[in-house]
Amino acid sequence: MTDRLSRIARGWDQAADGYVAYFVPRFAPWVAAAVEALETLPDGPILVPCCGTFPEAELLLERFPGRELAGIDLSAGMVERARERLGQRVTVVQGDANILDARWSRACAAVVSAFGLQQLPEPEAAIRSWTDALRPGGRLSVVYWPENTEDDGPFAAVAKAIGERSDYSWEDRLLDGLDAVVERDEFVAYPMTHPDAATYFDTSNHGGSMRALALARGDDYIAQLRQRYLEQAPAGEWTHHPRARLIVVRKPPSRAAAAPPTS
Ligand SMILES: C[S@@+](CC[C@H](N)C(=O)[O-])C[C@H]1O[C@@H](n2cnc3c(N)ncnc32)[C@H](O)[C@@H]1O
């Protein structure tokens, strides 16, 4: 595992409890949108890369009763909590979901992933690998945080305080040459409320994706970042409307299934 990947894994191990308490309920509308976007599916299992504690599971089981569900996550802490929460109802594997192992090739009725893609080392390769995992007629539904989630709000304020741009050029190329029909590619926004600016920052640091940054740069860096962020933040409760990108693609049905009956 690369240093970056092991830091991300460690970050999510440390963040898991805080993430479940604070972010899972706030991110729930987008997770529901990703699941609702799956229409009819062929037979077969549903795979959830970057499942975390697997909040997708209950929604998927309700929508597609009796389906086999499998999740993959890099963080041992997340995997342990998902297994504790869901027991025998799902299989959860610890591993890197960037390139799926060959056993998933053309095996799945659907692949669903929420808020993992933007953290992967190679998002373009990941989306290809996830599409390759689909059976004919199967659907991939992915929701992720793009580079530009909002013009103002705490996500934008943290990005401004960091002041460095990560490379998001992959976003423009994400769907190029994909072996599937793009059914949806849109931004989906919902309101999200934080008790105040400091609570959002501190929870991101201890219970969110900022944990990996803290491990990389240290507590002094995070303390200075917090100060720069709070200088531009409003007082009191903070509601914003961040946009996530929702992509749904469908693998073409097999020719035999698509052909009209002959008699
Ligand atoms: C923001 S959480 C989302 C979890 C869950 N889908 C949800 O909506 O609550 C992102 C998850 O992606 C996982 N992750 C990050 N990089 C990964 C990788 N390369 N392979 C598998 N999982 C990864 C993290 O461990 C974390 O659990």
Side-chain angles (χ1 to χ4, degrees), residues 5 8 12 19 24 31 50-52 55-56 72-75 78 95-98 114-116 119-121:
L5 219 53
I8 289 175
W12 284 111
Y19 183 81
V24 166
V31 174
C50 309
C51 62
E56 300 87 352
I72 305 178
D73 201 277
L74 190 64
S75 150
M78 287 289 198
D96 182 5
N98 194 79
F115 300 126
Q119 301 178 19
L120 298 182

Side-chain angles (χ1 to χ4, degrees), residues 11-23:
W12 284 111
D13 288 348
Q14 294 177 11
D17 288 332
Y19 183 81
V20 170
Y22 192 88
F23 288 109

Side-chain angles (χ1 to χ4, degrees), residues 198-211:
T199 301
Y200 166 71
F201 187 95
D202 295 338
T203 315
S204 297
N205 179 21
H206 295 290
S209 56
M210 199 190 288
R211 194 81 295 266

Side-chain angles (χ1 to χ4, degrees), residues 124-251:
E124 292 168 80
I127 208 159
R128 268 154 197 68
S129 174
W130 298 354
T131 304
D132 287 345
L134 297 175
R135 291 183 174 182
R139 284 189 162 89
L140 166 69
S141 178
V142 179
V143 66
Y144 76 89
W145 295 122
E147 179 177 28
N148 187 7
T149 53
E150 58 187 8
D151 297 329
D152 48 32
F155 292 9
V158 169
K160 194 170 163 202
I162 291 174
E164 299 160 20
R165 293 188 60 183
S166 304
D167 180 10
Y168 271 83
S169 59
W170 52 267
E171 286 198 84
D172 295 336
R173 303 185 298 266
L174 204 52
L175 301 179
D176 290 354
L178 212 59
D179 176 25
V181 176
V182 178
E183 294 186 320
R184 290 173 70 175
D185 180 8
E186 62 203 40
F187 291 108
V188 186
Y190 298 102
M192 194 187 300
T193 298
H194 307 280
D196 53 52
T199 301
Y200 166 71
F201 187 95
D202 295 338
T203 315
S204 297
N205 179 21
H206 295 290
S209 56
M210 199 190 288
R211 194 81 295 266
L213 181 69
L215 291 174
R217 303 211 177 166
D219 291 343
D220 288 350
Y221 170 83
I222 295 294
Q224 286 163 18
L225 181 63
R226 186 179 192 275
Q227 199 178 335
R228 288 201 297 278
Y229 158 83
L230 288 176
E231 278 162 10
Q232 27 148 356
E237 192 175 89
W238 200 355
T239 296
H240 61 136
H241 296 77
R243 325 175 259 271
R245 185 178 178 189
L246 173 67
I247 293 171
V248 182
V249 308
R250 185 177 188 218
K251 199 78 170 264

